[in-house]
Amino acid sequence: MSTKKFPRKQLSLWHWLLIVLVVSAVISVFYNWWTVRNEYRDRLIFAERLLKGDEENAVAFFERWYQLVREDSLIFDETIDEYLKLERLEELFEASFLGNYTVSFLFCNADEDLVLRDGYTIVNCHEFFEERMRMRGRQTSHENLFRPYRNPFDFRYFGIVKISEDRQLYIEFVSREKTFWLQNTLRENRYSVVLYDHSELVRQIGFFDYPLRLFTPANKESKDFSEHERYSHLQVIIEGSYGEQVLIVSRRIPRFQNQFSTFSVAFILNLCLGLLILLVFKRVSRRLFKTFAERLQITVLAIVLGTFVLAGVVSAIQVQRLNSLKNQKVLREKTHSLLLLMEQTFDGETPNEILESPLLQQALIDFSNVFFTDIFFYDEMGYLVAKSSVEQIFQNYPRNEMDLQALYRLNQEHRNFYIQQETLGNYTFYSSYVPFRNYRNELVGYLNLPHFAQRAELRHEIMAFMVVYINLFAVLIMLAFVLVFLIIKRLTKPLVESERQIAWNEMSKQIAHEIKNPLTPMKLSVQQIQKSWNDQKDDFDSRMKNFSTVMIEQIDTLSAVASEFANFAQQPNVKLTEVNIKKCLEKTVLLMNSEETIHFEAMQGAENITVFADEKQLSRALVNILKNAKQAISEVEAPQIKISLSTSEKHVVIAIKDNGSGIPAEIRDHIFEPNFTTKTSGMGLGLAIAKNIIEQFGGTISFETEEKKTVFFVRLPIRN
């Protein structure tokens, strides 16, 4: 027979904490691995999409527009005003490109000169564009369409339309969608990108400070990851031209505190989940944390945890509020700076001249590049006059009319500045409005600046704060566990000793009472037999016989009291072996079924069910339960006890049901307490002993009761 022992000790606070720590560590390791794996995949997709560009679409659109231009006689009519031709070209462009690109046109004669942006350099128009397209660019599949030479960051295209021998039309257009996608992806993912041509830096964007020459030799693999200066670098060789052009996409390697924050979040969530389970399922809480000290510890820790969570939520809200105030301040400063530039640009012009000026649109585009935001200009009635489109969202949600709330605040309430939060699609942003007046203080219209910067900035600021806070929170929680355990253990030690002393005092009183009960009749019997002896009674022999009977009964009672107390107090050195539970129950029923009131039935296949237990101790526990059941049916007309044996998952379940009067509600919580009894005899230790024995075998004992029925359930782990 095997003598393997079943663990006796139940799950404690420290076991529970260890489980939470291990689960949190496993979750964090898996999540960090999964995050890095997905980030590598996303970076590869980004690089491939960046290199692919949208040349096919651009060529297709250009071919359609080029054909329309060639077929339009107005463009080639020298008698038509150039301004009307430009309007016609824009109409054809919008019809072909469907608003996906921004465009500019320029008619150029062979003898015409251009003044460059520096205001000093003068170059020939044809020579300037020829060099720009044919020398610095590369030809696409369309012979008249060019794009910057192997520059994946530049989504510009240059086109040529020959009008006559000495006159040509030059077109430049930029993909709005790709530009927005690139800016948004770099901002959201904090990527840095660089292009090297023959190991020489061509162009870079982002936070990483790339050297002028390629800092690592190009790997023979077309796509390869490496680490350098705390950054992870994806190196892509363009078109297999090894040693010629290399695209690198870099991202900062997460710091230890960022990786540790995953563990911290998992740890805190698991703690909250565990505490919630304990709060909802009080029976689980009572089983896990039985002592007053453990319950006090878990209560204090729950309070600490709740306080930290509340403080974190409040702090995050405060960070968001401060970020909102900062963005409003930045937007206010941008708006007033824009207003000053507009006043300087259109100084001395009337409202009509400003609204009809061809420079208005270009001025808004130039200023939007300075302030990195869209600018909308509305007339005094709130209708859109001009705009600069930077954000892709305004291509999907055009703002042709001014917000009515803003128009009312500025027009009716005569406010000099107004800012509000607005929503377009899934985007929420701040938008500022300011009236624009000319030099005569005449109202020209209203300037509007939407501000989107807070989306990424706010998320990164809150995430940075939460990483620090959560890591600190997790460390403090673990320290709190240790400190609370030590402090409460020290504080409750006198209390536990006092409770133990009180319990033993109560037990002593009960023992004294139980011993005193038989001593009284014993004393009376001794006095009576002594008096009969002195009086030389004739029936002394019969009195002596009765005296002997009473003394033996009372001595047996004293012996039973002593044995019951000794059995409860001692911690037997049990030997766990494989016990056939069906056979053990059959022996117990045979022993206790003298009145034939006990009926036993077992499920099919129960003959082979075994558990790890001490057969004598297990039988003793079952006897105590059956004694309790027999006492409950002692005054019932048709007494009956039913025992059933079944299995539930990994446990064997013994159900002992009696048809007694049930257990009153006021005493149900005290049933398994030692020294508790409702009977006139005995010490009330039977069920307490049974509970102690069952729990030694890793099992549980519980009961269900109602009027005319009580069922005790004994659950024991099945031997695998």
Side-chain angles (χ1 to χ4, degrees):
M1 298 288 286
S2 173
T3 58
K4 183 178 178 181
K5 292 188 177 181
F6 195 89
R8 178 176 177 271
K9 195 170 182 179
Q10 298 294 311
L11 189 66
S12 68
L13 176 64
W14 291 104
H15 291 136
W16 177 68
L17 176 59
L18 182 61
I19 291 173
V20 171
L21 287 171
V22 171
V23 171
S24 303
V26 171
I27 291 174
S28 64
V29 169
F30 174 78
Y31 179 81
N32 287 330
W33 169 83
W34 180 79
T35 302
V36 171
R37 178 173 173 272
N38 284 354
E39 194 279 318
Y40 278 14
R41 182 201 62 194
D42 293 342
R43 213 182 326 166
L44 276 170
I45 293 173
F46 167 75
E48 291 170 355
R49 186 176 176 186
L50 184 62
L51 292 174
K52 182 180 180 181
D54 67 338
E55 186 172 315
E56 293 181 4
N57 293 333
V59 170
F61 287 142
F62 181 78
E63 287 179 346
R64 189 185 313 159
W65 175 83
Y66 185 82
Q67 186 64 30
L68 292 174
V69 170
R70 299 295 300 176
E71 295 173 356
D72 196 311
S73 59
L74 184 148
I75 306 299
F76 296 90
D77 190 342
E78 296 182 359
T79 63
I80 302 298
D81 184 73
E82 187 173 295
Y83 182 74
L84 294 177
K85 291 183 179 181
L86 291 175
E87 285 188 342
R88 180 61 176 166
L89 288 170
E90 288 184 1
E91 290 177 2
L92 296 175
F93 185 86
E94 290 294 328
S96 301
F97 286 80
L98 305 175
N100 292 324
Y101 297 85
T102 57
V103 64
S104 60
F105 303 98
L106 180 67
F107 285 100
C108 189
N109 296 323
D111 57 351
E112 187 176 351
D113 291 330
L114 292 176
V115 180
L116 300 186
R117 290 185 178 181
D118 59 10
Y120 302 101
T121 307
I122 300 175
V123 296
N124 180 267
C125 184
H126 278 194
E127 292 178 358
F128 173 78
F129 283 104
E130 285 294 327
E131 181 185 6
R132 192 176 186 187
M133 293 182 187
R134 302 188 187 278
M135 301 299 294
R136 299 184 182 180
R138 65 176 179 86
Q139 191 177 48
T140 64
S141 58
H142 193 287
E143 62 179 356
N144 289 342
L145 184 64
F146 302 83
R147 67 169 302 181
Y149 177 73
R150 284 186 175 178
N151 190 342
F153 313 129
D154 200 336
F155 302 108
R156 292 178 299 162
Y157 295 88
F158 310 100
I160 305 173
V161 180
K162 187 175 182 180
I163 304 298
S164 64
E165 290 297 330
D166 297 328
R167 187 174 177 80
Q168 293 193 128
L169 170 66
Y170 295 100
I171 174 176
E172 178 181 338
F173 57 93
V174 183
S175 173
R176 290 170 175 168
E177 180 183 358
K178 296 293 289 187
T179 302
F180 173 79
W181 166 78
L182 177 61
Q183 294 174 349
N184 186 64
T185 304
L186 293 178
R187 183 173 61 238
E188 293 291 325
N189 297 286
R190 299 208 163 189
Y191 286 157
S192 298
V193 291
V194 66
L195 179 68
Y196 285 95
D197 190 356
H198 291 85
S199 297
E200 296 290 337
L201 189 147
V202 176
R203 188 182 178 191
Q204 71 171 35
I205 306 175
F207 302 99
F208 187 74
D209 188 16
Y210 292 98
L212 295 177
R213 293 190 61 82
L214 187 62
F215 54 88
T216 57
N219 195 296
K220 293 183 179 180
E221 297 291 334
S222 60
K223 299 179 181 67
D224 181 60
F225 283 94
S226 62
E227 295 183 3
H228 179 68
E229 294 186 4
R230 298 181 180 178
Y231 270 75
S232 170
H233 305 278
L234 167 62
Q235 178 179 279
V236 182
I237 300 175
I238 299 177
E239 298 178 357
S241 54
Y242 174 70
E244 294 183 0
Q245 280 204 328
V246 178
L247 173 71
I248 297 178
V249 183
S250 306
R251 191 173 190 269
R252 187 176 184 87
I253 299 173
R255 298 177 180 176
F256 172 75
Q257 54 263 38
N258 295 86
Q259 296 178 334
F260 184 74
S261 65
T262 306
F263 167 79
S264 301
V265 171
F267 178 68
I268 293 168
L269 291 178
N270 285 330
L271 277 182
C272 293
L273 179 62
L275 290 173
L276 182 62
I277 292 174
L278 295 178
L279 182 64
V280 174
F281 302 99
K282 294 185 177 179
R283 180 179 296 180
V284 177
S285 177
R286 286 194 296 267
R287 287 188 58 194
L288 292 180
F289 311 113
K290 299 179 181 180
T291 67
F292 171 76
E294 288 181 332
R295 292 178 182 176
L296 182 58
Q297 289 168 7
I298 204 67
T299 301
V300 173
L301 290 173
I303 295 172
V304 172
L305 184 63
T307 303
F308 272 100
V309 170
L310 181 62
V313 172
V314 173
S315 299
I317 294 174
Q318 180 67 5
V319 170
Q320 187 172 2
R321 189 184 73 84
L322 293 175
N323 184 275
S324 175
L325 293 175
K326 183 188 74 173
N327 286 323
Q328 291 184 48
K329 180 182 178 182
V330 170
L331 186 56
R332 182 185 293 271
E333 293 173 352
K334 284 185 178 182
T335 304
H336 287 298
S337 298
L338 171 65
L339 185 61
L340 181 62
L341 289 174
M342 289 288 290
E343 290 172 350
Q344 293 174 352
T345 303
F346 298 99
D347 183 36
E349 298 185 20
T350 65
N352 287 335
E353 290 175 341
I354 296 173
L355 293 174
E356 296 176 0
S357 172
L359 298 177
L360 180 59
Q361 177 80 21
Q362 188 59 44
L364 295 184
I365 294 174
D366 292 340
F367 294 152
S368 71
N369 293 331
V370 173
F371 295 109
F372 300 100
T373 182
D374 269 308
I375 303 174
F376 294 84
F377 191 88
Y378 301 93
D379 63 18
E380 60 180 340
M381 299 300 295
Y383 294 104
L384 183 66
V385 176
K387 66 177 180 178
S388 65
S389 295
V390 176
E391 295 284 353
Q392 180 70 16
I393 182 176
F394 295 120
Q395 308 304 322
N396 302 324
Y397 302 96
R399 295 161 59 90
N400 297 322
E401 294 183 8
M402 186 174 168
D403 183 82
L404 294 178
Q405 178 74 8
L407 182 62
Y408 176 82
R409 298 293 185 187
L410 297 178
N411 195 305
Q412 300 298 319
E413 296 184 356
H414 305 290
R415 292 194 180 188
N416 194 42
F417 178 83
Y418 180 67
I419 187 170
Q420 68 178 6
Q421 199 172 53
E422 297 180 2
T423 302
L424 283 179
N426 297 324
Y427 293 87
T428 300
F429 56 94
Y430 283 104
S431 191
S432 67
Y433 297 85
V434 63
F436 173 55
R437 301 177 184 275
N438 67 354
Y439 70 105
R440 294 180 180 177
N441 203 32
E442 297 173 321
L443 180 64
V444 180
Y446 303 100
L447 289 167
N448 167 224
L449 276 75
H451 184 62
F452 285 89
Q454 78 223 45
R455 289 175 297 168
E457 292 174 5
L458 177 60
R459 181 164 58 253
H460 288 305
E461 285 188 17
I462 291 180
M463 286 300 298
F465 166 77
M466 292 306 295
V467 164
V468 176
Y469 183 83
I470 289 175
N471 289 340
L472 178 63
F473 182 15
V475 172
L476 290 178
I477 281 291
M478 286 185 278
L479 289 176
F481 263 100
V482 177
L483 292 176
V484 167
F485 172 77
L486 295 176
I487 292 172
I488 291 181
K489 184 177 181 181
R490 184 171 182 179
L491 291 176
T492 56
K493 186 176 180 180
L495 180 59
V496 171
E497 292 178 353
S498 176
E499 289 181 343
R500 186 182 294 112
Q501 186 62 40
I502 292 172
W504 278 110
N505 289 341
E506 291 296 322
M507 183 68 73
S508 300
K509 291 179 182 178
Q510 181 67 17
I511 294 171
H513 176 72
E514 295 295 335
I515 293 175
K516 187 177 180 181
N517 284 339
L519 287 178
T520 301
M522 289 173 70
K523 180 180 179 181
L524 291 174
S525 298
V526 170
Q527 290 174 343
Q528 289 177 359
I529 197 65
Q530 185 178 14
K531 187 175 183 301
S532 299
W533 174 262
N534 292 334
D535 294 342
Q536 295 293 316
K537 296 290 187 180
D538 296 336
D539 58 348
F540 179 78
D541 291 339
S542 62
R543 288 174 182 263
M544 187 63 182
K545 185 177 181 180
N546 292 335
F547 169 76
S548 300
T549 302
V550 170
M551 291 298 290
I552 291 172
E553 288 177 353
Q554 299 307 318
I555 289 172
D556 288 340
T557 301
L558 287 173
S559 177
V561 170
S563 298
E564 194 171 0
F565 176 70
N567 289 333
F568 177 77
Q570 69 179 344
Q571 297 294 330
N573 185 21
V574 296
K575 293 183 179 180
L576 300 180
T577 58
E578 290 186 36
V579 177
N580 187 301
I581 193 66
K582 184 173 182 293
K583 291 181 179 179
C584 182
L585 271 171
E586 288 174 345
K587 293 178 183 178
T588 304
V589 171
L590 183 63
L591 177 67
M592 297 294 297
N593 201 16
S594 57
E595 295 88 2
E596 297 185 354
T597 57
I598 303 175
H599 302 279
F600 171 57
E601 60 181 23
M603 61 175 288
Q604 188 175 2
E607 293 81 4
N608 300 321
I609 298 176
T610 60
V611 298
F612 265 124
D614 185 310
E615 186 170 0
K616 291 182 179 179
Q617 294 293 331
L618 178 58
S619 177
R620 179 183 171 202
L622 296 173
V623 165
N624 286 345
I625 298 172
L626 287 173
K627 281 183 178 179
N628 193 74
K630 293 185 73 173
Q631 290 167 354
I633 62 173
S634 58
E635 298 180 359
V636 177
E637 291 184 0
Q640 192 176 43
I641 298 174
K642 290 184 178 180
I643 303 176
S644 62
L645 178 63
S646 61
T647 58
S648 173
E649 296 180 355
K650 296 183 179 181
H651 292 78
V652 61
V653 181
I654 304 170
I656 301 175
K657 176 182 176 182
D658 66 67
N659 62 343
S661 58
I663 302 173
E666 62 272 13
I667 67 171
R668 291 173 186 172
D669 292 338
H670 306 286
I671 283 296
F672 295 110
E673 293 180 3
N675 196 30
F676 178 81
T677 181
T678 58
K679 301 182 287 292
T680 56
S681 62
M683 294 183 61
L685 298 176
L687 291 178
I689 293 173
K691 183 174 184 292
N692 188 31
I693 292 173
I694 295 300
E695 289 181 350
Q696 286 185 79
F697 306 148
T700 61
I701 181 171
S702 60
F703 69 90
E704 294 177 359
T705 184
E706 58 185 46
E707 188 177 358
K708 296 184 179 180
K709 184 180 75 171
T710 299
V711 185
F712 278 84
F713 297 98
V714 175
R715 292 177 176 85
L716 292 168
I718 297 176
R719 168 78 171 96
N720 293 326

